[in-house]
Amino acid sequence: MGNSDWKLPQVKLQLFAAGYCIHPEWVTIRGGKFGRIRIPALFALIDHPEKGYILWDTGYSERFLAATHRFPARLYRMLTPVNYRASESAVNQLRAQGIAPEDIKIVIISHFHADHIAGLKDFPNARFMFVAEAYDGVKGLSGIAALRRAFLPELLPSDLEARSTLISNDRKVELGTESSPFPYAWDVLGDGRLLAVDLPGHADGQIGLFLSTQKRTYFLCADAAWSRKAVEENRPPHPVASLIMPDKTRYRESFERVVDLQRMHPHVRIIPSHCPEVWSWVQGGERL
């Protein structure tokens, strides 16, 4: 990862959107418009040459709608109204490509917000990978306490802990401060193809993921930024967005690292999980 081109051993990548929510733009980017915009719930399919199919998050599913039907969880859907069709679920979009639920071997969870984990129960053979801080931050929460963390416990498989492999420090690799705004990464699978970095603040234990395809290197930055425009123009969210963040100082540090990455390595394509521009690529069928 210290190489100047940051090229990693290749995988294949596809991006999808499993529904979207509606939210005022000014909350997501400083100086944004007062009108509401569509914010997609993106997820990624990674085709690894040895490990097979891997998901990065899952987006929305029917279970999100069921879990937010009654109060207090209903407030989640009221604050961010969701537009979702069953055909848009991760499991159904993958089936349309001939990929059965059982074919997904790993789901990497960027963080435990409901719009990232709503489809976990659809993949019975998958192992779940995340950092301990992410799960520890929500484990055991319910009611208003869970809602304040944008977490819906009903979305977790009952055997999540038994099927989980923590992304731990025994896979830590140094990146060096001169070529990277990130001091270290975790080599998720131990083969150098997927490198995760710490992006806390928006949620406990949130991570981003570096990977390379034949075409270019990508950085899946989860919710460290909500759009590519915000990163390119160094326009973080409005301060009101910090009301849902466990640590606004760490969020600012994470956002600045993503901005620095774009400045230092402009050839690395940054993919925020809720970016309308990236959604337009998905709808246009762009090859990654």
Side-chain angles (χ1 to χ4, degrees), residues 121 128 135 153-163:
K121 289 184 177 181
F128 305 114
Y135 184 51
E154 303 95 320
L155 301 179
L156 295 184
S158 59
D159 59 352
L160 179 127
E161 293 186 14
R163 292 166 56 194

Side-chain angles (χ1 to χ4, degrees), residues 166-261:
L166 292 180
I167 300 173
S168 61
N169 287 337
D170 60 359
R171 292 278 176 87
K172 184 179 285 190
V173 295
E174 300 297 325
L175 296 182
T177 56
E178 292 186 4
S179 64
S180 168
F182 300 99
Y184 65 88
W186 294 286
D187 186 351
V188 176
L189 301 176
D191 63 358
R193 295 181 190 273
L194 303 178
L195 297 186
V197 295
D198 198 21
L199 287 175
H202 171 79
D204 296 306
Q206 178 179 253
I207 56 173
L209 192 71
F210 285 97
L211 55 86
S212 293
T213 67
Q214 186 177 20
K215 193 171 182 179
R216 59 169 55 91
T217 297
Y218 293 88
F219 180 52
L220 311 181
C221 76
D223 292 9
W226 283 324
S227 67
R228 287 172 49 81
K229 181 179 180 180
V231 174
E232 291 165 354
E233 299 179 6
N234 192 9
R235 294 164 63 187
H238 189 278
V240 72
S242 66
L243 295 175
I244 66 166
M245 297 178 184
D247 193 323
K248 62 183 179 181
T249 299
R250 294 181 80 190
Y251 173 80
R252 180 68 199 197
E253 292 171 351
S254 294
F255 180 85
E256 289 175 351
R257 282 180 170 159
V258 178
V259 171
D260 287 344
L261 173 70

Side-chain angles (χ1 to χ4, degrees), residues 20-257:
Y20 64 87
C21 72
I22 303 293
H23 208 60
E25 185 185 49
W26 64 268
V27 175
T28 71
I29 183 171
R30 198 75 58 89
K33 299 176 182 178
F34 282 96
R36 292 175 173 250
I37 60 172
R38 294 180 177 185
I39 300 177
L42 300 171
F43 69 95
L45 174 69
I46 300 165
D47 188 354
H48 187 284
E50 284 86 39
K51 301 293 185 179
Y53 292 121
I54 299 170
L55 286 184
W56 167 258
D57 294 335
T58 68
Y60 291 112
S61 77
E62 290 90 340
R63 293 186 184 87
F64 175 86
L65 301 180
T68 56
H69 183 66
R70 296 182 178 179
F71 287 95
R74 182 79 178 186
L75 294 171
Y76 193 145
R77 209 195 313 177
M78 292 172 65
L79 291 172
T80 55
V82 172
N83 188 298
Y84 167 84
R85 295 176 296 180
S87 62
E88 296 171 335
S89 70
V91 69
N92 285 334
Q93 290 195 67
L94 296 177
R95 277 198 183 107
Q97 295 205 9
I99 301 172
E102 294 77 16
D103 294 336
I104 301 300
K105 304 304 181 185
I106 297 170
V107 179
I108 302 173
I109 300 171
S110 68
H111 61 293
F112 280 83
H113 283 183
D115 53 336
H116 293 255
I117 64 168
L120 293 183
K121 289 184 177 181
D122 290 326
F123 302 101
N125 289 353
R127 291 204 63 78
F128 305 114
M129 301 190 73
F130 48 86
V131 299
E133 183 184 356
Y135 184 51
D136 290 345
V138 299
K139 182 180 179 181
L141 296 183
S142 61
I144 293 295
L147 191 61
R148 292 182 64 184
R149 286 288 189 266
F151 171 63
L152 300 173
E154 303 95 320
L155 301 179
L156 295 184
S158 59
D159 59 352
L160 179 127
E161 293 186 14
R163 292 166 56 194
S164 294
T165 300
L166 292 180
I167 300 173
S168 61
N169 287 337
D170 60 359
R171 292 278 176 87
K172 184 179 285 190
V173 295
E174 300 297 325
L175 296 182
T177 56
E178 292 186 4
S179 64
S180 168
F182 300 99
Y184 65 88
W186 294 286
D187 186 351
V188 176
L189 301 176
D191 63 358
R193 295 181 190 273
L194 303 178
L195 297 186
V197 295
D198 198 21
L199 287 175
H202 171 79
D204 296 306
Q206 178 179 253
I207 56 173
L209 192 71
F210 285 97
L211 55 86
S212 293
T213 67
Q214 186 177 20
K215 193 171 182 179
R216 59 169 55 91
T217 297
Y218 293 88
F219 180 52
L220 311 181
C221 76
D223 292 9
W226 283 324
S227 67
R228 287 172 49 81
K229 181 179 180 180
V231 174
E232 291 165 354
E233 299 179 6
N234 192 9
R235 294 164 63 187
H238 189 278
V240 72
S242 66
L243 295 175
I244 66 166
M245 297 178 184
D247 193 323
K248 62 183 179 181
T249 299
R250 294 181 80 190
Y251 173 80
R252 180 68 199 197
E253 292 171 351
S254 294
F255 180 85
E256 289 175 351
R257 282 180 170 159

